[in-house]
Amino acid sequence: MATFLYKLGRLAFRRRHFVALIWVALLTLAGVGAASAPPAGNSSFSIPGTEAQKAFDLLEQRFPGASADGATARVVFKAPSGEKMTDAGHKATVEKTVDELSDGSEVASVADPYTGNAVSKDGTIAYASVKYDVSGMELEESTKDALEDAAQQARDAGLTVEVGGDALQAVPETGATEVIGIAVAAVVLVITFGSLVAAGLPLLTALIGVGIGVSSITALASALELGSTTSILAMMIGLAVGIDYALFIVSRYRAELAEGREREEAAGRAVGTAGSAVVFAGLTVVIALVGLAVVNIPMLTKMGIAAAGTVAIAVLIALTMIPALLGYAGRRVKPAGAKGKRLGRSRKGEPQPDASQPEQPAGQPKANLGTRWASFVVRRPLAVLLLGVIGLGAAAVPAASLELGLPDDGSQPTSTTQRRAYDLLSEGFGPGFNGPLMVVVDAKGSDAPKDAFSDVAGKIEGLDGVVAVTPPAPNKGGDTATITVIPDSKPSSVQTEDLVHSIRDAGGDIEAKTGAETLVTGSTAMNIDVSEKLNDALVPYLVLVVGLAFLLLIVVFRSILVPLKAALGFLLSVMAALGAVVAVFQWGWLSGLMGVEETGPVMSMMPIFMVGVVFGLAMDYEVFLVTRMREAYVHGEKPNQAVVTGFKHGARVVTAAAVIMMAVFAGFIGSSESMVKMIGFGLAIAVFFDAFVVRMAIVPAVLALLGKRAWWLPKWLDRALPNVDVEGEGLRSGDERGSGPDEDRELVRA
């Protein structure tokens, strides 16, 4: 591995024009594809194997032409204080609005509030339901404009008017904080390298990689039914790992220069050593993201594969474009320990955290912070270990109260018309009105379908937590009917979830008596089924991903205990991160600071998504930091000294990488999409826990306690495992490898 990557790095350095041309061509091709691609259509949210999805599919079969997946809108009207919606003037305004809405070419139907019993008991609030032939993402802008114009005209007539539903669904915005995150990353890189040129390389390559990845996703969005959130998450993860991987290689390149090697040789060795760590770190991220397919939720699978593709691009760019750009930069990228004139004078003789300098004789200058910290940990490993584990355990306590659900209009900011419509409907008709349950009765196997419909409706009316039940609405064939049930609790509540299970239990008794099958669907029931499906898949997913990565790390570290320690440390950090998410988004701690206007259940995808992404990202630091320790160990250092050496060369880089990744993820907290906001916060806090508590404290403490046993591997397994040579041992025999005449000329030109 190291030898192959060494040759690849030297080749990219020499043929930098060709390498740069390839990546620019790919970026251009992806950009043209994204610009010419049709707009993304409906990102289908099918959940195979759930009752809600089965009922949805049955509706499409038995009620053809009903546009079951079409967009909906609820135009909610509220009369001024002291007036009623039944007043003649207000009634005329509403009827005019209904007429205007009915004229749209994509409108399937509009329900008049006064003929559809859609006026509140106190007469102050009414709503008109609009059904469209196409999904919210496929609606033409003219249709959305017509909806907003009709609402505005009713406002001008003196009514309070808000629009709910998915007809006005928009692509989520991330806000200016994303740019701030990149700016923070730039500042950290400048401080780390002491050079604007060296700092600019990771940013440039990461942006190119993300540009290719996101543009490719945009180009394929319509064909593959990719949602807007897919590209945002790919951008989030691609930026973070892209900067980190490039940072690792540039840092090692400067360290090789500090040892006196020529630039092409230094580039080859940087890619051969740090590049090997990048490859395996990237593999763990890809395994974790692609592994999301085991959940069997198509939308989540697509998100994982798209993000994994962006990570793969980041790895390839780090291995090829970074050495090519280093060739262009020439002497403008200084060896470790040498700073550019504009950023301060060189401090000769002062060891730098990322410099692989030979050991200094006695009386050398004061050790860097990474060395001092590692020396402290190996002297007091048990105290550091206990403090780290107890601290993460305390942070994980809120996770015991975790409640899962999917966001609805009630979780949107109060500045949106969808949220205000949600609140008006709750005020006029009760909280459960925003999450009606649709009961589908399949009486094809029943001898008396009408009696079965009546039995189901009567049984549901007698259940606790039910406010209203509409009469059964059969299809033309008379073998299937729909019943709408209004709960007395909001859609994301535990009470509504209990009601769904009660209806399903009651349906089982009715099926035994009448032969009619009862199914519960609708967005609320679908959300409940998704949460349960994700809960059921979490353990198998964890076993699969952690198991595969565990085997991969055994190959990398040639140890049993080091990968085991890495996996256990990850579990600590992800549980602590989930606890922080619960504290902020469910309990409301620091919610104002995070821009969380409405607390509630944690997004049901969050635990499994964090397990996948955080595990992959956590292994970045594990691989990069511990490979430097193993490199020192296999080269003859004692176990504790190898830990200190690993920190001497890697602590500053890992710290910078973690701060950059946290800054990039935290930038997405400003998103208008609650799911993106929650994931951004969760990943940022998880990286903090994993990098600064687990990898920088618990890992050296455990290795110090284990000593030589940390690197134990059964002899039979050692013989069976392939030697991937992540430490670059094979390159040490090539110290005298010279450059040919052509290579010398290339170096002179550099």
Side-chain angles (χ1 to χ4, degrees):
M1 172 69 79
T3 303
F4 169 76
L5 293 178
Y6 165 82
K7 294 178 180 178
L8 178 64
R10 294 193 65 170
L11 177 65
F13 188 95
R14 290 198 306 272
R15 304 287 184 244
R16 47 188 172 272
H17 303 310
F18 181 68
V19 172
L21 182 62
I22 288 178
W23 284 112
V24 171
L26 288 174
L27 178 61
T28 303
L29 183 63
V32 171
S36 59
N42 181 33
S43 55
S44 57
F45 190 69
S46 61
I47 313 295
T50 62
E51 180 174 315
Q53 185 64 45
K54 181 180 178 182
F56 186 82
D57 295 339
L58 184 65
L59 284 174
E60 290 190 329
Q61 295 174 11
R62 305 287 175 84
F63 292 82
S67 300
D69 59 346
T72 59
R74 277 178 171 175
V75 183
V76 188
F77 307 89
K78 183 177 182 180
S81 179
E83 300 179 20
K84 305 274 188 185
M85 287 304 305
T86 51
D87 295 347
H90 299 325
K91 188 174 182 180
T93 299
V94 172
E95 290 176 343
K96 180 182 178 182
T97 303
V98 170
D99 290 339
E100 291 177 353
L101 291 173
S102 302
D103 293 337
S105 59
E106 294 180 314
V107 176
S109 63
V110 181
D112 189 310
Y114 302 103
T115 59
N117 192 27
V119 180
S120 62
K121 291 182 179 180
D122 61 5
T124 60
I125 297 175
Y127 69 91
S129 296
V130 187
K131 183 73 174 176
Y132 294 92
D133 292 322
V134 297
S135 67
M137 296 301 292
E138 295 172 315
L139 282 177
E140 295 180 359
E141 287 301 319
S142 58
T143 301
K144 296 182 180 181
D145 292 341
L147 176 60
E148 292 176 331
D149 290 343
Q152 186 57 49
Q153 290 180 20
R155 291 190 191 102
D156 295 340
L159 296 175
T160 298
V161 185
E162 305 296 345
V163 182
D166 60 353
L168 295 181
Q169 181 179 353
V171 176
E173 299 176 354
T174 53
T177 51
E178 177 189 346
V179 179
I180 295 174
I182 296 176
V184 171
V187 172
V188 173
L189 287 169
V190 171
I191 294 174
T192 302
F193 291 136
S195 164
L196 293 174
V197 175
L201 296 184
L203 279 177
L204 176 62
T205 55
L207 290 174
I208 291 174
V210 167
I212 294 173
V214 173
S215 296
S216 301
I217 291 171
T218 304
L220 298 172
S222 179
L224 301 181
E225 296 184 344
L226 302 176
S228 56
T229 306
T230 302
S231 60
I232 292 178
L233 295 178
M235 181 191 303
M236 181 191 302
I237 296 171
L239 269 178
V241 301
I243 295 174
D244 277 9
Y245 295 163
L247 168 65
F248 295 158
I249 293 178
V250 173
S251 175
R252 187 60 182 253
Y253 171 77
R254 296 177 69 238
E256 297 293 338
L257 289 179
E259 291 191 354
R261 293 189 172 87
E262 295 294 331
R263 294 187 177 274
E264 182 179 333
E265 178 70 11
R269 285 179 172 270
V271 175
T273 52
S276 297
V278 165
V279 168
F280 283 98
L283 273 176
T284 59
V285 181
V286 169
I287 287 173
L289 290 170
V290 173
L292 291 170
V294 304
V295 183
N296 196 26
I297 295 180
M299 185 187 75
L300 194 59
T301 300
K302 294 173 185 177
M303 288 168 57
I305 293 175
T310 307
V311 171
I313 292 172
V315 171
L316 292 175
I317 283 186
L319 297 178
T320 57
M321 195 169 186
I322 282 293
L325 293 179
L326 289 172
Y328 283 118
R331 299 185 183 280
R332 288 185 291 274
V333 177
K334 307 292 183 182
K339 292 190 175 182
K341 294 180 180 179
R342 295 186 180 184
L343 294 172
R345 62 184 178 85
S346 172
R347 295 175 291 180
K348 295 181 180 179
E350 179 177 344
Q352 299 298 316
D354 57 344
S356 300
Q357 299 176 353
E359 291 296 321
Q360 300 290 336
Q364 66 176 357
K366 188 177 180 181
N368 63 46
L369 182 61
T371 302
R372 296 198 302 272
W373 169 251
S375 299
F376 169 79
V377 173
V378 297
R379 287 198 306 269
R380 297 173 178 83
L382 188 58
V384 172
L385 176 62
L386 291 176
L387 186 61
V389 171
I390 291 172
L392 290 178
V397 168
S401 303
L402 177 68
E403 295 178 7
L404 298 178
L406 286 178
D408 54 22
D409 285 347
S411 62
Q412 294 205 33
T414 53
S415 58
T416 62
T417 186
Q418 292 93 332
R419 170 61 187 277
R420 292 195 292 263
Y422 180 97
D423 292 340
L424 284 177
L425 288 172
S426 296
E427 177 187 341
F429 301 92
F433 196 80
N434 283 293
L437 306 175
M438 178 175 287
V439 178
V440 182
V441 185
D442 180 7
K444 201 165 188 177
S446 175
D447 296 331
K450 291 184 178 180
D451 292 340
F453 300 155
S454 299
D455 288 346
V456 172
K459 188 74 172 179
I460 293 174
E461 283 181 346
L463 296 176
D464 294 333
V466 174
V467 171
V469 177
T470 64
N475 63 346
K476 291 183 179 179
D479 58 1
T480 308
T482 60
I483 302 171
T484 301
V485 180
I486 306 298
D488 66 359
S489 53
K490 64 181 183 179
S492 58
S493 67
V494 176
Q495 292 84 351
T496 301
E497 181 178 350
D498 292 340
L499 177 60
V500 169
H501 291 303
S502 296
I503 294 174
R504 288 171 174 171
D505 292 341
D509 297 335
I510 293 174
E511 182 176 9
K513 296 177 182 178
T514 65
E517 184 179 10
T518 302
L519 305 171
V520 184
T521 188
S523 60
T524 301
M526 184 73 81
N527 291 350
I528 292 170
D529 286 352
V530 168
S531 298
E532 292 179 351
K533 189 177 182 69
L534 288 167
N535 282 338
D536 294 341
L538 183 58
V539 173
Y541 173 72
L542 192 61
V543 171
L544 173 69
V545 172
V546 176
L548 287 176
F550 179 77
L551 295 176
L552 184 66
L553 292 178
I554 289 178
V555 174
V556 174
F557 296 129
R558 308 194 76 79
S559 164
I560 296 293
L561 297 179
V562 170
L564 180 61
K565 172 261 313 166
L568 294 177
F570 151 74
L571 291 176
L572 276 174
S573 59
V574 79
M575 289 303 297
L578 274 177
V581 169
V582 170
V584 173
F585 290 89
Q586 188 175 312
W587 292 1
W589 293 4
L590 301 178
S591 57
L593 181 63
M594 298 296 167
V596 180
E597 296 188 13
E598 184 73 19
T599 60
V602 172
M603 183 187 66
S604 54
M605 294 183 187
M606 195 68 189
I608 201 163
F609 191 83
M610 283 189 65
V611 165
V613 177
V614 175
F615 183 80
L617 299 180
M619 294 306 105
D620 285 0
Y621 308 121
E622 178 75 16
V623 170
F624 188 76
L625 190 61
V626 180
T627 49
R628 295 303 297 260
M629 298 178 189
R630 176 166 174 78
E631 185 177 343
Y633 178 75
V634 298
H635 292 160
E637 292 189 9
K638 294 181 179 180
N640 281 7
Q641 181 58 38
V643 171
V644 176
T645 301
F647 267 76
K648 172 187 175 184
H649 299 315
R652 186 179 186 184
V653 178
V654 170
T655 299
V659 172
I660 288 169
M661 195 171 283
M662 288 168 56
V664 172
F665 288 149
F668 289 84
I669 296 175
S671 173
S672 61
E673 177 70 36
S674 59
M675 181 172 74
V676 176
K677 180 191 293 287
M678 189 179 295
I679 289 177
F681 171 79
L683 294 183
I685 197 69
V687 168
F688 171 78
F689 287 142
D690 196 89
F692 293 106
V693 181
V694 175
R695 309 303 153 190
M696 304 291 279
I698 294 178
V699 165
V702 171
L703 291 178
L705 289 172
L706 291 175
K708 290 184 178 180
R709 290 168 295 184
W711 308 107
W712 171 79
L713 187 70
K715 291 184 179 180
W716 64 268
L717 185 56
D718 187 43
R719 291 191 298 268
L721 291 177
N723 183 16
V724 295
D725 189 21
V726 177
E727 304 85 13
E729 180 66 20
L731 302 181
R732 293 179 69 85
S733 61
D735 283 343
E736 303 302 322
R737 185 185 285 110
S739 302
D742 293 338
E743 297 171 352
D744 287 337
R745 284 194 291 271
E746 287 290 323
L747 290 172
V748 170
R749 284 197 293 271

